[in-house]
Amino acid sequence: MRNAIIDSDTASDDTIAILLSSRLFNLVGITIVAGNVSYEQEVKNALFTVEYFNIKSPVFLGSSRPIMGKWRTVEEVHGKNGMGDWDYGEPSVKPEREHAVDAIIRLSKEYDNLEVLAVSPLTNLALAYLKDPSIVKRIKKVWIMGGAFSRGNTTPIAEFNFWVDPEAASIVLNAGFDITIVPWEVTEEYAYVDDDFWSKIEGLKSRASEFFIRANRALREYSKSHGQKGSVQTDSFTVFLAHDQSAILKKESHHVNVETCSSARGAMLVDWYGLNGKPNAEIVLKGDRDKFVNFLLSVLSS
Ligand SMILES: O=c1[nH]cnc2c1ncn2[C@@H]1O[C@H](CO)[C@@H](O)[C@H]1O
């Protein structure tokens, strides 16, 4: 199994990404970063997720804010606690003492060919790189869920993860990592859970499907009220494509940067025509929805 860390701002869809990554990779760490809901709540959600699914990977606390600027949490998307208001009690699993930034650096030395599944704002990874730039040589691959071509889900132009910490995104994109980006619109097109898929998951009546339904209920309502077909499982889709690259049906390499100023803050800047620079990232343009749906159903049936 490939070695991986998942970096998460744990709320609804992130929890399923954590579950999938624990099944598909040798998951050597789960690092938590500021994003979706209050930091404390994200940590609690991650600890509950690992406890519920009996995932043995250590949870490390990282940055509780972006590098610069203000951001807002999005309880309206995920529910007040980020878990569809599921009152799941207090998890008994505890986080590690080591800081996530130090853990990323250490794990990159301990595990060959370590990959990072970044389904979150990129603050932790940017800080790890600033502390030890040599991680670029040791981390084999960075998978990023982030960026929108033009249909921003947080501002008219910006996707949430890039918008929360555009400075961090810019640092990571320009650091020299081997990067694959799974942008918002691609996940919206291939990783949505519409009513039909939702009923199939509900019909599984397993522990995992019950978790999925409860944790993603608010996201579903929010997404449907905003013109989407249902909850978009962006983070899980990214983890799935990282594992099964035959499910990436179209991709292109381009230079990608992130706008950090004004009302376009967080916008993904793709140099489609190679006007300014060499490619620094691969961008997924099409994914295999059927494979993803079947895989998710098989994991959730247990
Ligand atoms: O409105 C939203 N829809 C879907 N995901 C969202 C939304 N707001 C924040 N996220 C979070 O940001 C990434 C996707 O942009 C995902 O990582 C998800 O957890």
Side-chain angles (χ1 to χ4, degrees):
M1 264 189 172
R2 286 149 60 193
N3 300 318
I5 290 176
I6 188 164
D7 192 50
S8 158
D9 53 335
T10 318
S12 39
D13 60 323
D14 286 73
T15 60
I16 308 304
I18 291 176
L19 168 65
L20 296 195
S21 62
S22 74
R23 303 293 187 258
L24 294 172
F25 291 87
N26 176 31
L27 192 65
V28 297
I30 301 169
T31 54
I32 312 301
V33 70
N36 279 317
V37 291
S38 81
Y39 193 75
E40 254 180 20
Q41 187 63 56
E42 290 181 0
V43 171
K44 196 173 157 191
N45 295 343
L47 295 173
F48 171 64
T49 303
V50 297
E51 184 164 295
Y52 190 95
F53 291 113
N54 197 22
I55 296 168
K56 294 299 173 206
S57 316
V59 175
F60 301 96
L61 309 196
S63 188
S64 56
R65 49 158 277 193
I67 294 175
M68 288 179 69
K70 289 196 191 117
W71 95 109
R72 66 178 166 79
T73 54
V74 286
E75 283 79 3
E76 72 275 20
V77 176
H78 303 285
K80 275 196 212 73
N81 67 352
M83 296 284 276
D85 299 327
W86 177 10
D87 185 9
Y88 54 72
E90 279 301 317
S92 55
V93 175
K94 298 280 177 255
E96 303 296 308
R97 284 177 167 223
E98 187 182 16
H99 193 278
V101 165
D102 297 319
I104 292 170
I105 296 169
R106 176 179 58 78
L107 292 166
S108 74
K109 293 176 184 158
E110 282 176 20
Y111 289 92
D112 284 343
N113 298 326
L114 184 67
E115 297 179 51
V116 177
L117 307 164
V119 295
S120 53
L122 289 159
T123 322
N124 284 341
L125 189 56
L127 292 175
Y129 165 73
L130 293 179
K131 189 166 184 186
D132 180 358
S134 70
I135 63 169
V136 171
K137 287 191 255 129
R138 294 191 301 274
I139 291 178
K140 188 181 176 211
K141 180 91 197 170
V142 179
W143 299 88
I144 297 176
M145 188 287 124
F149 297 124
S150 61
R151 292 166 61 91
N153 63 7
T154 304
T155 74
I157 195 74
E159 177 279 334
F160 185 74
N161 291 338
F162 275 22
W163 175 81
V164 168
D165 200 339
E167 282 79 14
S170 185
I171 289 168
V172 169
L173 284 166
N174 292 298
F177 289 108
D178 182 344
I179 292 174
T180 295
I181 297 174
V182 185
W184 165 250
E185 288 93 335
V186 175
T187 65
E188 195 188 10
E189 193 170 347
Y190 299 103
Y192 60 87
V193 178
D194 58 4
D195 289 347
D196 179 52
F197 192 4
W198 184 267
S199 335
K200 280 194 182 126
I201 294 173
E202 230 168 8
L204 293 172
K205 302 250 176 286
S206 62
R207 259 188 108 241
S209 72
E210 191 193 336
F211 182 104
F212 181 98
I213 296 290
R214 289 183 153 199
N216 286 286
R217 191 168 276 153
L219 177 61
R220 177 185 193 225
E221 296 301 318
Y222 176 88
S223 309
K224 285 176 79 169
S225 69
H226 284 74
Q228 292 152 29
K229 291 180 186 133
S231 76
V232 182
Q233 295 297 307
T234 52
D235 297 345
S236 307
F237 193 56
T238 303
V239 169
F240 176 66
L241 295 182
H243 170 72
D244 182 357
Q245 287 158 52
S246 73
I248 298 177
L249 300 180
K250 186 176 178 197
K251 60 186 184 180
E252 286 181 15
S253 291
H254 293 290
H255 192 272
V256 182
N257 213 337
V258 183
E259 176 60 59
T260 54
C261 298
S262 72
S263 56
R265 192 170 160 79
M268 178 164 71
L269 308 172
V270 182
D271 183 3
W272 292 103
Y273 298 108
L275 307 171
N276 289 323
K278 281 203 213 126
N280 62 354
E282 204 173 65
I283 307 169
V284 173
L285 298 174
K286 276 188 191 165
D288 192 328
R289 177 168 167 75
D290 289 344
K291 264 195 181 171
F292 174 64
V293 169
N294 290 334
F295 177 72
L296 193 54
L297 284 174
S298 78
V299 172
L300 295 179
S301 64
S302 60

